[in-house]
Amino acid sequence: MTRITLIDPSDATGMTGEQLSQIKAAFGMVPNMFKAAANSPAALSSMWGSFGALGNGRLGAKLGEQIAVAIADRNNCNYCLAAHTGLGRKAGATAQEMLEAQAGRSADARTAAALRFAIKVVNERADIKIADVDALRAAGFDDEEIVEIIAHIALNLFTNYLNVALDVPVDFPGVKLTRAAAA
């Protein structure tokens, strides 16, 4: 049982109702995470706006989803791991690519660099070294993309914490946590 009320989209009004309608149009349903966030119109607006902004970013949906599963696994977030694994597949990643990303790995050097960076930022609470940023640059990321990676990290920390702290029921096909990315 969840630790917070999941807002029924049919009961939502105003901006919250509008956003839940947009979410339903995007997903074909209103995922429980958004129903939980809808308890705070500001939190829902922040979350939905961030998904929209980053979805139109330069990193692309596939890399964004790979970052998301690496962070979800690190934070023991069953909800986000399940959701982003499915979204990653829809964005063109193979099942193997998503499994590797969950462990913080990729056969693609650029993706691997982004995943290593994301995990290091999470593990070190952002207290990273210039060499960590330089490694991203060496992998071909420019300053805009580096900031965008950090924005993905921040959004995923928000969603992980919301789902874990409030025990939001998973409504996507389950994926097993490995904590491989924590190593």
Side-chain angles (χ1 to χ4, degrees):
M1 183 164 144
T2 186
R3 296 174 181 159
I4 195 164
T5 302
L6 299 179
I7 301 300
D8 183 336
S10 64
D11 293 335
T13 60
M15 180 61 89
T16 299
E18 290 174 30
Q19 289 177 328
L20 291 176
S21 292
Q22 293 168 8
I23 292 163
K24 184 176 182 179
F27 288 95
M29 61 181 250
V30 178
N32 286 338
M33 176 183 73
F34 293 105
K35 292 176 185 176
N39 280 282
S40 164
L44 179 63
S45 291
S46 174
M47 183 186 292
W48 186 235
S50 293
F51 275 114
L54 292 174
N56 291 317
R58 292 219 358 246
L59 293 182
K62 180 179 171 182
L63 180 54
E65 300 303 340
Q66 289 171 301
I67 290 168
V69 297
I71 294 171
D73 195 73
R74 172 65 185 95
N75 287 322
N76 287 329
C77 186
N78 287 298
Y79 193 99
C80 289
L81 181 59
H84 291 290
T85 295
L87 292 169
R89 296 297 312 276
K90 286 184 179 180
T94 66
Q96 186 62 35
E97 285 174 316
M98 293 309 291
L99 183 62
E100 288 296 308
Q102 180 182 346
R105 298 185 301 261
S106 175
D108 176 72
R110 190 169 193 268
T111 300
L115 295 173
R116 277 191 306 274
F117 180 81
I119 291 166
K120 187 155 193 181
V121 168
V122 171
N123 287 344
E124 301 297 324
R125 297 176 150 213
D127 189 18
I128 59 170
K129 309 294 182 235
I130 188 66
D132 299 314
V133 176
D134 289 344
L136 280 179
R137 286 193 180 102
F141 291 97
D142 62 24
D143 288 351
E144 179 180 347
E145 293 166 315
I146 293 168
V147 171
E148 195 171 308
I149 290 170
I150 293 170
H152 274 276
I153 295 166
L155 174 58
N156 284 284
L157 288 174
F158 173 32
T159 61
N160 289 182
Y161 289 2
L162 177 82
N163 290 305
V164 173
L166 300 179
D167 198 23
V168 175
V170 179
D171 50 359
F172 291 90
V175 176
K176 186 178 189 278
L177 290 164
T178 64
R179 288 296 305 247

